[in-house]
Amino acid sequence: MAIYDVDVLAAYLVNKIRDAHFSKALDYTKAKIGGDFSRKYDIKATVVCLLDNNMSLAQSAKALYIHRNTLLFRLEKLKEATGLEPCHNINHALLCKILFGS
C-alpha cells in the first residue's frame, strides 16, 4: 500500500478540524451553504457527486440526471456564496471533501 502526498494532506486537514480557529471557519462556511440555500440548489449532492466523479462535469451531470448547464449554475451559486471553486482549485476540492464528508 502506497502513501501519496494527497493522502498525507487529507489526513492533516482532517486533524486540523480539531483546531478551534479552523473549526470556526469551517462552521462559518457550513452556515453559509446550509439551510434553504443548500436545499434550493441541492449543493451537497452536487458537490459529493462531482467529487465522486473526479471533478468531471459531464459524468456528474449524467449521474445527477441534470443538464450540464444546471450543474454549472449550481457551482456558480456555490462560488457566489463561499468563494469555493472545487473544479478549478484542488484546495477548494479538499475543503469541499471535508465540508460535505464525501
Side-chain angles (χ1 to χ4, degrees):
M1 176 179 205
I3 298 176
Y4 298 98
D5 292 339
V6 176
D7 297 326
V8 173
L9 179 59
Y12 172 77
L13 289 173
V14 169
N15 286 330
K16 266 313 231 187
I17 290 174
R18 296 184 186 112
D19 180 15
H21 297 294
F22 185 80
S23 183
K24 286 179 186 177
L26 196 61
D27 290 342
Y28 176 75
T29 304
K30 281 183 181 180
K32 287 178 97 174
I33 56 177
D36 291 336
F37 177 81
S38 186
R39 278 191 297 276
K40 184 175 182 180
Y41 300 112
D42 202 10
I43 294 297
K44 181 176 181 175
T46 301
V47 173
V48 168
C49 186
L50 195 61
L51 292 167
D52 289 345
N53 286 289
N54 295 323
M55 310 313 279
S56 169
L57 295 174
Q59 289 177 358
S60 298
K62 186 176 180 179
L64 290 166
Y65 300 103
I66 60 174
H67 193 275
R68 185 177 179 277
N69 289 343
T70 303
L71 178 59
L72 291 172
F73 176 80
R74 290 178 183 181
L75 291 173
E76 184 60 31
K77 290 298 179 183
L78 177 67
K79 179 183 172 188
E80 288 173 9
T82 64
L84 294 174
E85 294 183 274
C87 288
H88 300 287
N89 188 317
I90 188 66
N91 294 328
H92 293 189
L94 285 171
L95 184 55
C96 284
K97 180 108 172 135
I98 291 169
L99 281 169
F100 297 106
S102 166

